[in-house]
Amino acid sequence: MTLQSLLSRYRLLSLVRRGQGRGLMLAGLMGLCVVVTWSTMSNIRTISIQATTWGGEITFKGQLNDWVVEKGTICRLLLTPNFRAKQPDTSGPCSLSLYNREVVEDAVIDWSADTTIRFTRNGQGEFVVQTLAGNTAGLPEGSLIVIPADTWRGHGALTFQGVARLGGAIASGSKDYLIGGTWEAHQSGLATSFFRDVTEVVKSGSFKLGATVDLVSETPDVLSYGHITPAPEDESGVGVALLSERGPVAVRIKHYGLSKAAVFRPDWIDTLSSSPMLVALAVLFSFLLAAIQIFSLVPTGRTRDR
């Protein structure tokens, strides 16, 4: 074998090895891109909701549900209606023929787990809570808590831990419908948490007048932490803010006339488009790939002396 053929074979082998090295680098970068993209497809998120509504329902969970009623009336449903009551029904927030009234100030209501209530703000501006089910002491099913309008306007927040639904089913004559609001899905993944310990808003939306809103997941009930307050700037209705527990949570919105509710959950496109970190990584990968392609065109090795 001549010296010229040996040199030619050596150059060919060198080119093959260089090509394999660049191929491995390209494959590594592509693999990194795949890992980063896959990490954004996590379905673990939390949903935050801020809304104004005329009413809603809460099923309490846990032990963090003590309410302080600054001033109001507790109406307990009588076992037997008293239609011979002498006091006119218009003298209080509930009829004496159906309820036993108790005026309270700074009363603490300790809601038991699995108690379900409906809350509304009526046309007189009063905040009304009705017990639908449960075994909270002193508040059997059908009981009412009525807070006068002037007291409610400056009332403190009522916090809750439980399963919430905002807005009643809209129909002719409904008075507990949703007024409006917004929601956001907060999510973190490997690509973002590796560089910084933050969550990002990957999807958001708004609620239309008359919608019914709740949260859904793989489990039947989605636990949320929230509070009820007077509507901001004394607007109509009641202000509600809540934050769900982390998990594969989605927002379910039902509108009048639709047979099925609309379910909103982020997908990988939402995550990629909303993350500045992932956009920066995409730009960096583009520069690296371009640099590798340029270097692959530059010859290496020594040229022969003439």
Side-chain angles (χ1 to χ4, degrees):
M1 184 177 293
T2 63
L3 179 60
Q4 186 175 0
S5 61
L6 286 174
L7 291 174
S8 299
R9 182 173 298 181
Y10 173 77
R11 285 196 298 269
L12 179 60
L13 183 60
S14 176
L15 289 173
V16 170
R17 289 177 177 174
R18 284 165 45 201
Q20 288 177 344
R22 295 189 183 102
L24 289 175
M25 292 178 66
L26 286 171
L29 286 175
M30 291 179 65
L32 183 58
C33 290
V34 171
V35 170
V36 169
T37 303
W38 173 81
S39 71
T40 66
M41 298 174 67
S42 169
N43 62 353
I44 305 301
R45 66 186 70 92
T46 183
I47 303 291
S48 64
I49 290 177
Q50 186 167 348
T52 306
T53 180
W54 283 110
E57 290 185 9
I58 300 172
T59 299
F60 295 106
K61 302 291 183 181
Q63 306 299 323
L64 303 177
N65 297 298
D66 294 344
W67 286 11
V68 177
V69 178
E70 296 178 6
K71 182 181 179 180
T73 303
I74 296 179
C75 303
R76 298 179 179 88
L77 196 64
L78 297 173
L79 296 177
T80 303
N82 181 14
F83 296 110
R84 296 182 179 181
K86 297 180 180 180
Q87 189 172 356
D89 290 344
T90 57
S91 62
C94 50
S95 171
L96 283 176
S97 62
L98 299 175
Y99 295 91
N100 176 32
R101 295 182 195 159
E102 179 188 0
V103 178
V104 296
E105 288 189 18
D106 296 326
V108 178
I109 308 297
D110 183 11
W111 296 108
S112 299
D114 297 324
T115 297
T116 300
I117 65 167
R118 176 186 294 120
F119 63 90
T120 57
R121 190 180 183 193
N122 60 26
Q124 290 75 42
E126 299 171 326
F127 181 73
V128 182
V129 177
Q130 180 183 12
T131 305
L132 301 181
N135 57 353
T136 295
L139 290 171
E141 183 177 337
S143 299
L144 302 175
I145 301 174
V146 183
I147 300 177
D150 55 347
T151 302
W152 177 247
R153 280 192 289 269
H155 203 280
L158 303 174
T159 60
F160 65 87
Q161 173 188 1
V163 180
R165 177 180 63 79
L166 304 182
I170 194 72
S172 297
S174 296
K175 295 183 179 180
D176 60 347
Y177 53 86
L178 183 75
I179 298 173
T182 58
W183 65 272
E184 293 179 340
H186 303 259
Q187 189 169 301
S188 62
L190 176 64
T192 53
S193 61
F194 181 78
F195 295 97
R196 49 182 182 166
D197 186 17
V198 296
T199 59
E200 295 171 338
V201 177
V202 295
K203 198 176 185 69
S204 61
S206 60
F207 305 129
K208 302 299 182 183
L209 179 70
T212 301
V213 177
D214 62 355
L215 300 175
V216 294
S217 181
E218 297 173 351
T219 56
D221 299 324
V222 177
L223 186 64
S224 298
Y225 299 87
H227 56 262
I228 300 172
T229 61
E233 299 179 1
D234 197 29
E235 296 176 358
S236 301
V238 178
V240 181
L242 60 86
L243 185 69
S244 75
E245 282 196 325
R246 288 175 56 82
V249 191
V251 180
R252 180 169 61 183
I253 305 175
K254 188 170 185 178
H255 294 276
Y256 175 75
L258 299 180
S259 58
K260 292 184 179 180
V263 178
F264 297 89
R265 58 171 56 88
D267 54 24
W268 67 273
I269 297 178
D270 296 315
T271 306
L272 286 175
S273 61
S274 62
S275 175
M277 180 64 67
L278 295 177
V279 172
L281 287 175
V283 174
L284 177 61
F285 290 153
S286 299
F287 277 118
L288 289 176
L289 290 173
I292 291 174
Q293 194 170 19
I294 291 173
F295 283 125
S296 65
L297 301 176
V298 178
T300 60
R302 296 179 179 179
T303 57
R304 292 181 299 174
D305 293 333
R306 299 198 177 192

